Amino acid sequence: MTLDWGAGEYERTARELEPAAEHVVALARIRPGERVLDLACGTGNAAIEAARAGARVSGLDAAPRLIEVARTRAAAASLAIDFVVGDAQDLPFHDGAFDCVLSVFGVIFVPDPPRAVAEIVRVLAPGGRALISAWRPEGPINAMMRVLGRAVVDAGGPSRPQFAWHDAEIVGGLAAAHGATVETDEGRLVIAAASPEAYFADGEQYHPMSVAVRPLIERHRAPETVREEAIAVLRAGNEDPDGFRVTSPYRVMRIARAG
Ligand SMILES: C[S@@+](CC[C@H](N)C(=O)[O-])C[C@H]1O[C@@H](n2cnc3c(N)ncnc32)[C@H](O)[C@@H]1O
């Protein structure tokens, strides 16, 4: 099952992720004039931040609709960013084209991570760096996704083995094969809503991943039980007794190409 990130309304999630894009761009310490690629850019959060920092920015994503949204946002902010539709595993850029590659919860979704890492290092100039944010497994949102993933498999859908993008040894092993090294930083994203139930219902309606798995969950022998279990996981991680607030930890992998 190939996920269409243009389905639903990913824009809503992208707004929740804006603080993470700001964090990753700040960690990248972008200098004016640097060439920056926002890889799997979605609606362009990191690309826009990098352009505001004075970089010459390209953004690439597999979802044509999201690239259109990104172009509209950049134009509204009077930022010249080159957005293209493409595959993170086969980048349409020449070797050494960028000083910095950013990917905010983006490249972590590709089917072939070793190939994506090879491409990232290939398009980095000598001395360049890539910053990739990846969810750590322990957050409540991840726990909810695991409940949904199990229900999809129970209903006869595909199982999606998760690549451990948050694991410095594993990503470091991939990078080392191309002469690059890996260091890490930590981050936390807070997400709030009116209630756990409201957050879950919103996701079911708008998030591309939930939109994709909803028909499979409906096929499950007990779809209501699945929803209750997913909402129970959200309640367990809820930090706000009057509403809904959860904190999801993430790790930023910094891949450095030798100079
Ligand atoms: C969770 S979204 C993150 C988007 C954006 N970076 C942000 O911060 O909002 C994941 C993105 O990865 C993109 N994506 C998934 N597989 C891809 C691939 N093979 N090549 C390019 N983009 C891909 C999706 O289209 C989607 O926009």
Side-chain angles (χ1 to χ4, degrees):
M1 181 168 79
T2 308
L3 181 61
D4 176 10
W5 286 86
E9 206 180 317
Y10 176 72
E11 293 87 319
R12 287 174 172 248
T13 306
R15 279 195 288 276
E16 289 175 348
L17 295 184
E18 272 174 21
E22 286 164 18
H23 179 215
V24 171
V25 172
L27 287 174
R29 295 175 188 273
I30 287 163
R31 290 178 292 273
E34 280 196 310
R35 299 159 301 164
V36 172
L37 170 64
D38 182 2
L39 183 58
C41 63
T43 58
N45 281 355
I48 287 170
E49 276 300 306
R52 286 198 173 119
R56 290 177 283 155
V57 183
S58 300
L60 175 139
D61 198 277
R65 191 184 76 75
L66 299 186
I67 284 292
E68 273 313 310
V69 174
R71 284 191 183 127
T72 305
R73 288 181 73 200
S78 303
L79 294 168
I81 301 175
D82 181 28
F83 284 111
V84 294
V85 176
D87 184 353
Q89 303 158 122
D90 187 14
L91 293 175
F93 304 112
H94 62 77
D95 297 3
F98 297 101
D99 303 297
C100 181
V101 174
L102 307 169
S103 194
V104 180
F105 309 115
V107 74
I108 60 170
F109 290 100
V110 302
D112 188 344
R115 203 165 136 195
V117 170
E119 279 294 83
I120 288 170
V121 179
R122 179 183 70 75
V123 301
L124 278 178
R129 72 277 187 206
L131 284 87
I132 299 169
S133 66
W135 299 114
R136 283 170 38 183
E138 55 267 40
I141 304 287
N142 246 327
M144 176 196 74
M145 297 307 289
R146 281 196 294 275
V147 170
L148 299 182
R150 276 199 304 273
V152 165
V153 173
D154 283 356
S159 85
R160 272 187 85 238
Q162 292 273 319
F163 180 79
W165 278 100
H166 63 283
D167 187 319
E169 259 185 53
I170 290 179
V171 178
L174 295 184
H178 306 284
T181 56
V182 168
E183 287 177 13
T184 61
D185 286 284
E186 303 295 326
R188 296 159 78 75
L189 184 76
V190 174
I191 291 176
S195 67
E197 294 77 9
Y199 176 78
F200 187 79
D202 219 49
E204 267 204 314
Q205 195 173 350
Y206 299 113
H207 195 284
M209 230 175 224
S210 304
V211 168
V213 302
R214 196 169 55 201
L216 282 163
I217 291 179
E218 295 295 345
R219 246 165 53 195
H220 190 272
R221 57 195 144 66
E224 275 319 309
T225 316
V226 174
R227 286 198 180 90
E228 277 161 27
E229 199 188 328
I231 291 169
V233 161
L234 295 177
R235 280 198 201 109
N238 188 8
E239 300 154 13
D240 177 3
D242 300 322
F244 178 63
R245 188 181 66 240
V246 288
T247 306
S248 293
Y250 60 86
R251 189 159 284 150
V252 182
M253 314 302 287
R254 179 193 296 265
I255 299 177
R257 190 182 158 176

